């Protein structure tokens, strides 16, 4: 059941993230897109994508 608890925590933390961070995490960490692909999908520079990923990753631990 440890895996289920971890998944629930990830879901709960993701729900608390700002939308911009949540989308960045979903594209890169969940969907496996490269930074370039995710930045193109979101129509933002790679540096902006990275700045959105960092706080979200910290929250997820």
């Amino acid at each position: 059941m440890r895996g289920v608890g971890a998944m629930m925590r990830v879901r709960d933390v993701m729900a608390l993230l700002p939308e911009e961070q949540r989308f960045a995490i979903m594209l890169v960490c969940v969907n496996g897109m490269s930074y370039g692909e995710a930045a193109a999908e979101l129509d933002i520079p790679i540096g902006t994508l990275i700045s959105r990923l960092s706080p979200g990753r910290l929250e997820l631990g």
Side-chain angles (χ1 to χ4, degrees):
M1 285 298 182
R2 182 174 172 217
V4 172
M7 288 176 57
M8 289 173 53
R9 171 159 161 54
V10 168
R11 183 198 64 212
D12 292 346
V13 171
M14 288 288 287
L16 296 174
L17 292 176
E19 186 175 88
E20 293 175 337
Q21 291 176 9
R22 189 169 53 250
F23 286 162
I25 295 262
M26 290 295 294
L27 293 176
V28 174
C29 299
V30 177
N31 294 341
M33 287 185 170
S34 69
Y35 286 3
E37 292 169 330
E41 178 73 22
L42 296 171
D43 196 28
I44 58 173
I46 290 176
T48 301
L49 175 75
I50 293 169
S51 72
R52 292 178 183 180
L53 286 170
S54 296
R57 285 179 170 162
L58 286 174
E59 286 293 323
L60 289 170

